[in-house]
Amino acid sequence: QVQLVESGGGLVQAGGSLRLSCAASGSIFSINAMGWYRQAPGKQRELVATITSGGSANYADSVKGRFTISRDNAKNTVYLQMNSLKPEDTAVYYCNAAYYSIELQLLGSWGQGTQVTVSS
C-alpha cells in the first residue's frame, strides 16, 4: 500500500516560515492530486491547499498569499512553503494523496501528520 512520509513541521515564531514535505511511496501507478490539510485541537480538519497532476493549485482563503504548494512528480513529493506564519496556523498538518494503484484503483491515502506550532 501507499505510504506518505511527512517532514518539516516544528516550532516557529509568528512571521516565520516553514517548509513541509510529503513523499509518497509504494505501489503507485500515478498520482492524480496531492494536498495538505490541517486540524487544530477541537476543530474539524480543513483543507489548506491542493495541487493536481497538471500543476493546478487551490488554496484556502486563510492561507492565500502566504502559502505555496508545489510538487515534484518524478519524486511523488508535494511541498508546502509556509510564510508569514500566524498563531492561528498552529495545527497538525496532514498530507493527502489521491492516486491510482498499480491495479488501477483510484484510492486516497493520508500521512500521519506533522505538528506546526506558531508562537506569538
Side-chain angles (χ1 to χ4, degrees), residues 37-76:
Y37 295 72
R38 67 186 181 187
Q39 187 168 22
K43 299 186 66 177
Q44 297 289 318
R45 186 174 299 186
E46 65 175 354
L47 185 148
V48 177
T50 61
I51 187 166
T52 68
S53 60
S56 179
N58 288 283
Y59 299 91
D61 289 341
S62 59
V63 306
K64 286 182 179 177
R66 300 188 297 120
F67 292 9
T68 302
I69 189 170
S70 61
R71 67 186 296 174
D72 184 335
N73 290 334
K75 298 179 179 179
N76 289 332

Side-chain angles (χ1 to χ4, degrees), residues 6 21 25 28 31 33 42-43 46 51 54 57 59 64-65 70-71 76 79 82 87 90 95 107 110 112 115-117:
E6 302 160 340
S21 299
S25 62
I28 302 172
I31 296 179
K43 299 186 66 177
E46 65 175 354
I51 187 166
Y59 299 91
K64 286 182 179 177
S70 61
R71 67 186 296 174
N76 289 332
Y79 307 92
M82 304 185 293
T90 296
C95 177
L107 304 172
W110 290 92
Q112 296 184 60
Q115 176 70 230
V116 172
T117 302

Side-chain angles (χ1 to χ4, degrees), residues 7-20 82 85-93 114-120:
S7 62
L11 174 65
V12 66
Q13 295 289 115
S17 298
L18 287 173
R19 184 173 184 259
L20 306 183
M82 304 185 293
L85 283 162
K86 305 174 180 179
E88 49 263 47
D89 295 318
T90 296
V92 177
Y93 284 70
T114 183
Q115 176 70 230
V116 172
T117 302
V118 184
S119 62
S120 60

Side-chain angles (χ1 to χ4, degrees), residues 1-4 23-30 76 99-102:
Q1 195 55 261
V2 167
Q3 181 182 24
L4 301 179
S25 62
S27 301
I28 302 172
F29 179 77
S30 65
N76 289 332
Y99 67 96
Y100 287 96
S101 70
I102 58 173

